[in-house]
Amino acid sequence: MAIKNERIGPVEAVSLAVVFIAAKIYLTFPALMVSLGLSAAWMVVLLAVLISLPAFLPVAVLMDKYPGKSIIEIGEELVGPYLNTVFVLGYLAFLLAVESMVLRQFAERILMVSIPDLPISMAMSGMVLGTVMACFFGLEAIARSTRISSVFIGILLVLVLVATSPYWSLNNLAPIWGPGLAEVMGSGIMKLSLTSEIFLLAIIYPSINSKGTWNMWKLGSHSLIIAGLILVTTVITFMLTFPVMVAREISLPTFEMARLIYFGPFVQRLEPVFIPMWALAALLKLTIGMYAMLSLLTGLLKLPYYRPLILPLAIIIISVAFIPPNVTTAVMIDEGIIRTWGWVPTFGLPVILLAVSIWRRKETDSGGKKTS
Amino acid sequence: MVRKLLKLQILILALLFIPGCWGYQEVDESAFILALGVDKGRENRLNLTAQIAVPKNIAGGGGEGGGAGGGGAKSTMIVSVEAPTILAGLELLGSFVERHPSLRHTKAIVFSSELAREDMGRYLAPIVRYRQFRRNTFILISRGKARDLVENTQPIMEDNPAKYIELLVGTSKYTGRFPISSQVHSFYNAAKSQAREPVAILAAVGGDRQEDQVGDDKSAGGYLAGEIPREGGNKIDLMGTAVFRGGRMVGELTGDETTVMEMINGKFYEGIFSVPDPRVPGKYILLEVQGERKPTVQISLEGKVPVIDVEVPLDAEFLSIQSNISYEQPGAIGEVEDAFARLLQEDTAVLIRKTQEEFRADIFGFGEEARKKFLTWPQWEQYKWLEVFPLAQVNVEYKINIRRIGLLRESSPVRES
């Protein structure tokens, strides 16, 4: 299947971006934020999301200057094929790191939570098999499935968050500044990469049928706001349920919240409701990430079809996922490296491209003809 | 066509992975532990007592499936083992129990007070990491051996011991005589907190003390578990609170003291109180009391010691006026409200003194209110609230409102013969 022939609507594109960003709530993300921001963890996340909006602006401006073109084509036009290759490898490295660490974490957590005897290779292979199948069906199928599934995932997530309300204590949000205002601000800025997955829109922009009303900024800002709302709400609810000293210990915050739900003898033990939602979100995130990588590879190698690359890419993702010796290392790589430096290829490189684009435009305007 | 078949084959292959064939376990291969007792064993070991469900007898139901004392099959099986840790003990159970022990349906974990006074935290904290263990399992502290408590957890009105435990613990909502939230979740949170100390339900084997209490003038809630003057029924008493500092038990509260604690905590739901008649000594006025709203707590940290002001609003309804005096009239209601408030103030004074001087434990969670006065976590940690609390000045005021008067609008005396 050729990527150029696939078309999705703006709402589906927003769904893809939101799920791609927000699926991390089903991993250790909320507990890591509490470790960082203590009782002000929600502020760290909110700040990171707010900063990501102006950080995304250069990407949006760049993409709208070249309608109908993906980030790869724009890069090749602006910086030439060789430097663009380096840029694309940067994007790929980010996506590969995210995909493999997320795959490893989800697989390990499935084992930890419900089926400890399952070999990790089988867990990861099963998830990747689902991802491979979805990629074979194409972007339209992925986007529509995501749009429909995100409604159910959202409803179940709200159910899990609200049902823990008997355990909420507003006092858990005190002291208001957590480790200190300066630390909170610094952490919020450092964690800009929490929303780096928004870069997906730059990859699939040519496939989005915007009908002239949805430009890149509108798509991106809507996605960031919705995903940010989900991230902040989940962290706040987690903090209301568990005090700081306990919250920072927990491996799977949303799972523990689901397990706590108790409304008498008949409404309890609701985590079976949570696990399919969790698994579905994991599958969608992996699928979207893999499709983004396929799109980049196809663009980089100037191939007409991406299907032949699916299986080799799947093998690469699983192989990289096996590199960390344990789940703690995988979490450390995710949090310490990807979520600290992920902004460089996703927000930083497009800024360079935009700067080149503006410089070239000035040269064209002043010289009256294009310079090389 | 070939492609469709290939996709179908891959989907079917994927389906094989979904149920997790490697990790499957039939329901009848698991021995579900409904209650787990932990006693101190010999030589730094633990003595674990597990009440394991016998599903076929629970499901059989009727008169035989119930439980204690009857001639029918018992719904549970009690086994004990000694081991260095709780999870090691569960593994040992597999040597002589034909099914694999599972904590997935454990309703209560019972620690003996002997073990709790040493250091319960080091046994409880590690099992929170275990995937089978749920944080909403109830914690009970047994005044005697935990083994005795588990062995005597034999329901009479229920077929299912798990349901019995759940219903029994749930009665605190209607009495307030033992803590309403004594789950591992709240205990663990408090044990790790720098703002409050944990509490747990006090339990004991009781049931045959009627003759011991001749001449005892304690109030209805003035007992500890195991001391209630009663006969018959289930063997387990739940009454009072075990108070901890961190993971170590430091004291006990009676039922009345627990009720006051719950009122101050804002967790009191409802209960019945016998208020001495303000005009006729020796007679009582029974009130059904409900927690109207959460108490308001004001804390001032400006002086040398913290000053804590608590206002507890309570609603009440007349259930019985033994003297038949018309206290329902607006002018007289205030007398009863004041009498009740005085009664509560006496119990409160005893409780506050105990918690500050004897236990040195903030079981009310005032520290969580105090924490709001600080802007940053390092400032809060530096204050060391749990060490400062015993010095605090605590003032508790009760706002009693008798809203309803029952089915009689006025009282008149019973004619004397």
Side-chain angles (χ1 to χ4, degrees):
Chain A
M1 186 179 283
I3 286 178
K4 287 190 190 313
N5 298 334
E6 295 177 302
R7 287 283 178 269
I8 61 173
V11 174
E12 288 157 346
V14 168
S15 302
L16 286 174
V18 167
V19 170
F20 198 35
I21 295 170
K24 59 173 70 68
I25 59 170
Y26 297 113
L27 294 173
T28 317
F29 158 77
L32 293 171
M33 291 300 104
V34 173
S35 284
L36 197 60
L38 300 177
S39 49
W42 65 276
M43 276 191 214
V44 172
V45 180
L46 183 63
L47 204 57
V49 170
L50 289 174
I51 291 171
S52 66
L53 282 165
F56 180 70
L57 192 55
V59 181
V61 170
L62 179 70
M63 299 306 297
D64 284 331
K65 277 169 78 77
Y66 300 89
K69 290 188 177 178
S70 73
I71 190 77
I72 306 150
E73 290 158 329
I74 295 170
E76 183 147 335
E77 188 178 319
L78 289 172
V79 297
Y82 298 108
L83 191 55
N84 187 49
T85 302
V86 174
F87 280 28
V88 175
L89 287 175
Y91 310 144
L92 275 170
F94 167 76
L95 287 171
L96 180 63
V98 167
E99 281 290 285
S100 52
M101 290 307 109
V102 164
L103 173 64
R104 179 63 183 271
Q105 287 180 74
F106 270 115
E108 292 276 11
R109 300 312 185 185
I110 285 172
L111 263 62
M112 191 182 84
V113 157
S114 54
I115 34 179
D117 296 333
L118 183 68
I120 183 72
S121 53
M122 288 296 123
M124 291 190 353
S125 302
M127 295 183 80
V128 168
L129 203 59
T131 305
V132 161
M133 288 301 302
C135 287
F136 265 105
F137 290 129
L139 179 63
E140 290 176 10
I142 297 170
R144 285 181 197 134
S145 304
T146 305
R147 183 180 173 179
I148 294 168
S149 305
S150 57
V151 173
F152 294 110
I153 295 173
I155 291 171
L156 290 175
L157 177 64
V158 168
L159 179 75
V160 167
L161 295 182
V162 169
T164 53
S165 56
Y167 297 97
W168 289 357
S169 170
L170 276 173
N171 294 331
N172 289 346
L173 298 180
I176 187 93
W177 295 126
L181 181 57
E183 284 84 356
V184 169
M185 302 277 290
S187 299
I189 294 167
M190 285 297 293
K191 289 301 166 189
L192 169 64
S193 306
L194 283 176
T195 54
S196 283
E197 287 94 335
I198 195 68
F199 189 73
L200 167 78
L201 292 176
I203 300 169
I204 63 170
Y205 196 43
S207 301
I208 302 173
N209 198 3
S210 62
K211 298 173 186 167
T213 53
W214 284 75
N215 60 8
M216 185 61 154
W217 171 248
K218 194 171 176 181
L219 287 167
S221 57
H222 278 65
S223 305
L224 285 170
I225 289 168
I226 296 170
L229 208 65
I230 293 170
L231 293 175
V232 173
T233 310
T234 305
V235 170
I236 286 183
T237 313
F238 177 56
M239 290 168 61
L240 288 173
T241 310
F242 296 94
V244 164
M245 304 310 280
V246 172
R248 57 199 295 186
E249 295 179 340
I250 295 176
S251 290
L252 285 175
T254 36
F255 178 71
E256 286 288 0
M257 287 164 66
R259 284 226 292 184
L260 266 186
I261 295 170
Y262 182 86
F263 288 105
F266 297 106
V267 185
Q268 55 172 310
R269 297 176 181 272
L270 289 182
E271 62 270 20
V273 165
F274 164 83
I275 289 176
M277 166 183 68
W278 189 43
L280 188 57
L283 186 63
L284 288 173
K285 172 149 187 153
L286 291 169
T287 305
I288 295 165
M290 186 181 240
Y291 182 85
M293 292 177 70
L294 287 166
S295 194
L296 284 172
L297 277 171
T298 313
L300 178 67
L301 301 172
K302 294 188 176 44
L303 297 173
Y305 305 106
Y306 67 80
R307 280 183 173 177
L309 300 175
I310 294 177
L311 281 177
L313 185 60
I315 292 169
I316 291 172
I317 290 173
I318 289 188
S319 305
V320 174
F322 268 117
I323 292 175
N326 49 53
V327 68
T328 310
T329 310
V331 171
M332 191 201 76
I333 292 171
D334 191 1
E335 204 267 333
I337 300 173
I338 299 171
R339 299 303 161 193
T340 304
W341 300 108
W343 63 270
V344 172
T346 54
F347 293 124
L349 295 181
V351 169
I352 296 173
L353 290 175
L354 183 63
V356 170
S357 169
I358 293 171
W359 172 70
R360 283 183 131 194
R361 179 71 183 259
K362 281 185 180 168
E363 290 228 335
T364 306
D365 288 344
S366 65
K369 57 183 178 183
K370 266 194 182 170
T371 55
S372 62
Chain B
M1 184 63 185
V2 172
R3 277 186 183 174
K4 276 189 182 168
L5 277 173
L6 186 65
K7 283 181 193 175
L8 193 61
Q9 280 173 346
I10 293 174
L11 269 171
I12 290 169
L13 197 64
L15 281 172
L16 284 176
F17 295 131
I18 291 168
C21 300
W22 283 264
Y24 86 95
Q25 195 168 45
E26 296 292 336
V27 173
D28 61 2
E29 290 176 2
S30 293
F32 295 112
I33 297 172
L34 302 179
L36 185 67
V38 187
D39 286 301
K40 191 177 171 187
R42 293 166 294 177
E43 297 173 357
N44 203 32
R45 292 162 72 85
L46 300 176
N47 194 310
L48 292 176
T49 306
Q51 184 181 43
I52 300 174
V54 181
K56 65 181 174 78
N57 294 341
I58 294 175
E64 289 191 13
K74 287 195 173 176
S75 55
T76 59
M77 171 176 83
I78 308 291
V79 292
S80 279
V81 71
E82 251 198 43
T85 64
I86 293 176
L87 293 177
L90 293 182
E91 276 300 292
L92 263 183
L93 284 179
S95 307
F96 56 95
V97 174
E98 66 270 28
R99 299 181 183 186
H100 190 64
S102 170
L103 292 178
R104 290 194 178 92
H105 288 272
T106 303
K107 274 293 169 196
I109 182 163
V110 184
F111 289 90
S112 66
S113 55
E114 184 190 8
L115 188 68
R117 285 183 189 277
E118 282 190 7
D119 185 6
M120 199 173 93
R122 69 173 166 141
Y123 299 112
L124 185 63
I127 63 169
V128 169
R129 189 189 293 267
Y130 189 41
R131 77 180 71 82
Q132 290 184 3
F133 192 77
R134 307 175 69 86
R135 289 179 189 238
N136 50 17
T137 303
F138 297 110
I139 283 191
L140 307 181
I141 305 298
S142 171
R143 296 189 73 215
K145 288 278 183 198
R147 183 197 169 95
D148 294 337
L149 202 81
V150 171
E151 281 181 345
N152 283 284
T153 307
Q154 300 291 344
I156 298 172
M157 289 197 287
E158 311 299 329
D159 289 330
N160 186 339
K163 190 177 172 187
Y164 160 70
I165 294 170
E166 199 159 353
L167 290 175
L168 185 62
V169 171
T171 59
S172 68
K173 194 177 173 187
Y174 306 107
T175 64
R177 301 294 186 203
F178 50 90
I180 200 167
S181 51
S182 181
Q183 294 175 333
V184 169
H185 173 72
S186 50
F187 187 95
Y188 189 75
N189 288 352
K192 295 261 176 170
S193 172
Q194 296 162 342
R196 72 183 308 145
E197 299 284 9
V199 296
I201 297 173
L202 205 57
V205 177
D208 292 307
R209 294 182 62 90
Q210 192 74 34
E211 66 280 6
D212 293 346
Q213 303 303 324
V214 173
D216 191 344
D217 60 354
K218 283 185 181 173
S219 62
Y223 300 98
L224 294 171
E227 295 175 353
I228 302 171
R230 68 171 182 103
E231 274 184 68
N234 298 312
K235 292 278 180 69
I236 306 300
D237 283 355
L238 299 186
M239 174 72 78
T241 300
V243 176
F244 286 77
R245 239 192 353 254
R248 192 162 292 165
M249 181 174 162
V250 293
E252 297 169 335
L253 297 177
T254 64
D256 283 341
E257 289 162 354
T258 301
T259 306
V260 171
M261 177 191 77
E262 294 288 81
M263 285 178 177
I264 297 173
N265 274 337
K267 291 180 185 165
F268 175 76
Y269 189 72
E270 68 179 28
I272 294 175
F273 291 81
S274 305
V275 181
D277 195 307
R279 296 187 196 173
V280 182
K283 299 230 172 173
Y284 292 92
I285 299 170
L286 267 66
L287 297 175
E288 183 174 52
V289 181
Q290 289 180 336
E292 181 193 333
R293 296 185 309 274
K294 294 277 185 197
T296 52
V297 179
Q298 307 277 352
I299 296 185
S300 169
L301 302 179
E302 285 156 22
K304 281 185 181 174
V305 296
V307 176
I308 305 170
D309 295 306
V310 187
E311 187 180 283
V312 182
L314 296 170
D315 266 4
E317 176 181 347
F318 281 118
L319 289 184
S320 162
I321 303 173
Q322 289 184 338
S323 61
N324 287 312
I325 296 173
S326 259
Y327 284 114
E328 307 90 346
Q329 307 310 314
I333 274 184
E335 284 182 57
V336 181
E337 289 171 349
D338 290 342
F340 184 40
R342 278 196 301 275
L343 179 69
L344 289 176
Q345 288 288 2
E346 284 168 17
D347 287 336
T348 304
V350 170
L351 176 65
I352 299 295
R353 183 196 57 75
K354 256 181 152 175
T355 55
Q356 288 189 300
E357 293 174 20
E358 199 178 318
F359 306 147
R360 303 179 68 79
D362 177 7
I363 57 175
F364 310 103
F366 292 138
E368 290 174 353
E369 277 297 320
R371 196 169 57 202
K372 291 193 230 177
K373 302 283 183 186
F374 298 87
L375 289 178
T376 68
W377 199 266
Q379 288 173 353
W380 160 247
E381 284 182 323
Q382 231 173 354
Y383 190 74
K384 293 188 178 17
W385 170 262
L386 292 175
E387 292 175 22
V388 170
F389 169 74
L391 306 170
Q393 183 187 327
V394 184
N395 311 310
V396 182
E397 192 184 342
Y398 293 92
K399 294 281 186 205
I400 314 293
N401 283 300
I402 298 178
R403 306 276 189 200
R404 286 163 293 280
I405 57 175
L407 293 178
L408 297 180
R409 55 172 286 275
E410 66 176 26
S411 301
S412 55
V414 173
R415 183 174 45 80
E416 287 185 28
S417 60

